[in-house]
Amino acid sequence: MRGAIRVEAVSQETCQTSPGASAPLLLCQQHGGCDGAPNHPRPRWLLLCHRDHLLMAEISSHTVFVLGGARSGKSAFAERLVAESGLERHYVATGRAWDEEMASRIAHHRDSRGEGWTTHEVPLDLVGALRQIDIAGNVILVDCLTLWLTNLMMEERDLVREFADLAAQVEQSTAKLILVSNEVGLGIVPENRMARDFRDHAGRLHQSIAASAREVYFVAAGLPLKMKG
């Protein structure tokens, strides 16, 4: 089973279904023991029968979500989390070099990271790329979700489906996953329709990922504020 299991509470009620069981029995609280089987959502809560007692445990993801404004220090903070993990480093770059300025930004990020990374350029099929490198022992840094959203909008992709697929991958990830995104909803209302749509889509995406992630940070002036986990 993927994800980390965290025990939330212990019941002293004796388990009648498997008295004297020598190994834990996993029962999906929502689906009667499906244990994340095909055609069922991955369970978030389990009842574990162990040594004649029931334990309630939550399956939490390995994902960290880092939000912040432009030049807030969010990418540098995320890269520090990667370094501290001690795992095999993978960098998923979602940006496209639409012009010289964007090409310069991409080059700056690449140079600042230094060596020791395997880089994957993924402007659109983010979930597919994550699945390919979703291996225990890997840490995957995705920078960033707002550039991915830009690409999706330019290609007129189904955003609802793309967001849902990413949220599902966040919950199921075996590798440690660190997602970076720009918070764009704190300023004035944009003057044009496309910019307003982008702001709204980003807000919905961030809510979805934050709900699925194990930890969430907001970074301002280089200082991370832990919001969840």
Side-chain angles (χ1 to χ4, degrees), residues 63-114:
T63 301
V64 179
F65 186 31
V66 180
L67 277 168
R71 294 292 182 267
S72 62
K74 60 188 182 297
S75 293
F77 172 68
E79 290 170 14
R80 288 201 301 272
L81 295 179
V82 170
E84 291 169 0
S85 74
L87 302 174
E88 189 72 22
R89 305 178 190 183
H90 290 261
Y91 187 92
V92 177
T94 60
R96 282 174 165 172
W98 296 105
D99 53 28
E100 291 184 4
E101 179 186 0
M102 191 61 190
S104 177
R105 287 175 178 267
I106 292 173
H108 172 74
H109 274 278
R110 182 174 58 247
D111 293 342
S112 66
R113 288 195 303 274

Side-chain angles (χ1 to χ4, degrees), residues 6 9 16-17 35 64 85 104 151 165 174 183 198-199 202 210 213:
R6 175 168 59 88
Q16 302 298 323
T17 59
D35 193 24
V64 179
S85 74
S104 177
N151 299 333
D165 288 348
T174 297
E183 176 53 66
F198 176 82
R199 175 205 58 186

